[in-house]
Amino acid sequence: MRCYNLAKNPFIFYEKIDDKYGLFLLVNSLHGNIDIVSKSVIDALSREYYCGDYLYVLRGKGYLIDKYLLYDSLEGLNFKYYLNLLSNRPYMALVPTHDCNSRCIYCFQSLIRTGRLEFKYITKNNVTKAFEAAIKLFERYHPNAKENPRLILFGGEPLINLNVREIVDYILKLAKEYGVEPYDIVTNGVFLPEYADLIIRYEVKSIQVTIDGPQKIHNSRRPSLIETNPFGKIVTGISMLLKSGTDINIYVRTNVDKRNIKYLVDLAKFYMDKGWSNDKRFKPYLSPTQPYGCTHIAQYTLTDSEFLLRILELFRKHEEIKIFSIDSIMLYRHIKDALIKGNFDRALSYCGATNSTYVFDLYGKIYLCMDAIGREQFVIGYYTPNLVVDYNTIKRWHKPVLDKEKCARCSFALICRGNCNFHSILLGHDIDNPPCPNVKRLLKVSVNHFAENIINLVKEKVEVLKLYEHST
């Protein structure tokens, strides 16, 4: 029997599915393969020399690889990343104000608020300057983009009151003139009814609002300075947009922690009673509350794995809650999609901040991350009076995960994607030496949730299971 001195692909990982069938989920994140295999295959991957029937399948699917081909694969992946960077659709996030008319109990921007009620807004001149600067950055970093750039309105609260309506109108009008698609408005929704007509007129593609629970719970977690029942205003605004007949997508986020998780079933029932859950444009999703910027809430927050574990338990007990997406947990989404598509999604950058997004605030400052607004250490340039940018910082943020020394040979590199640069810096880490998330724990929770589905796939002997079939 001929044996080969091949290298085990460093970007593979596996997780046990169950004891009864002795199955494992095996993932090759470098080549995008995902398979269900027996323990004998896992054992075969631990050998120094590889022989027998397993060899051809393992080598063919990239679980075993010639060393020189591994280098070529990594170089090819990086080359493709930089090539795609040139053609990525760019995003312009514009911040009309740092101020907000809400006082959410977990606000990550609380450090940048002055406490004043005389809000400050962006000027029309700075709006024009921001668009001019954005176009220049798009031309430099994404010259081959085939699709029009997109505009996101962020804050603070971009729809803070009616005084800023004229500016919002001007922003959306100018976007059309510059060929920038009015794509998304991230708002607390308190003034959503008053801005619904502008949103419809300028064909904004989506809005994102937050509802943290039934009326009483939401209003206690996200109180307004000017509205006694912010929950009611949001509900009115959503209803107006859904009834408008437009194609706008309405993403409704719920920030989940230990204090409001028990109200999710009631919130789901509310959405169903309103008839919203039957509308494809209505897209509710859950995300764990993050403690950065507000350390006093850390005792109430859930880690990603804790969040996933508790939400999946609710999924098993309450059918209603399945209307919520939990795709905000990246690894869970990868596993779910892989079981549907038969291949594992891979990426070399964490989010838009690391490959396509540029943020412009009212003071003429430029950032790469929307969460970083108002934090001086994250300013990468200025757009007024002239465009001045730290191009070295942009280059570092645009670096693919495989170019980060710590991540270069980590089996989870193409899953965690180098972690969040913003979080890394806040925690005192260099972005080339990021803290490692607990991917192994998330993987275990996700696979356990899908175990029954995976076993059913084995019984059906679908295409993705060829490796398992070959090994038995």
Side-chain angles (χ1 to χ4, degrees), residues 226-238:
I226 56 176
E227 177 60 50
T228 57
N229 182 20
F231 178 89
K233 290 292 294 290
I234 298 169
V235 170
T236 299
I238 291 174

Side-chain angles (χ1 to χ4, degrees), residues 81 85 349-357 368 397-399 419 421:
Y81 169 81
L85 191 64
S349 62
Y350 185 81
C351 67
T354 56
N355 62 43
S356 61
T357 300
L368 294 176
W397 275 63
H398 284 181
K399 181 187 294 186
N419 212 336
N421 284 351

Side-chain angles (χ1 to χ4, degrees), residues 141 368 379-382 388-396:
Y141 288 102
L368 294 176
V379 175
I380 58 100
Y382 300 86
V388 178
V389 176
D390 183 349
Y391 292 108
N392 286 329
T393 297
I394 295 179
K395 183 178 179 180
R396 290 190 68 218

Side-chain angles (χ1 to χ4, degrees), residues 33-103:
N33 291 324
I34 179 169
D35 291 280
I36 292 88
V37 302
S38 63
K39 187 177 184 301
S40 56
V41 174
I42 300 299
D43 291 340
L45 284 169
S46 64
R47 299 171 187 163
E48 184 177 354
Y49 292 91
Y50 303 97
C51 309
D53 292 338
Y54 294 137
L55 171 68
Y56 302 104
V57 182
L58 291 172
R59 189 178 187 182
K61 289 206 165 193
Y63 294 107
L64 298 177
I65 191 169
D66 295 299
K67 291 182 180 179
Y68 71 92
L69 289 180
L70 174 61
Y71 176 80
D72 288 346
S73 294
L74 297 179
E75 286 296 299
L77 205 56
N78 267 356
F79 177 76
K80 186 177 180 180
Y81 169 81
Y82 283 113
L83 198 62
N84 287 340
L85 191 64
L86 297 175
S87 58
N88 281 350
R89 167 183 263 174
Y91 287 76
M92 173 190 185
L94 189 57
V95 181
T97 179
H98 281 185
D99 295 310
C100 187
N101 53 27
S102 292
R103 290 296 180 264

Side-chain angles (χ1 to χ4, degrees), residues 101 153 157-161 164 168 185 187-188 191-192 195 199:
N101 53 27
L153 289 187
E157 170 50 45
L159 312 182
I160 191 168
N161 54 34
V164 79
V168 172
I185 299 177
T187 172
N188 61 30
F191 273 89
L192 190 56
Y195 281 85
I199 292 170

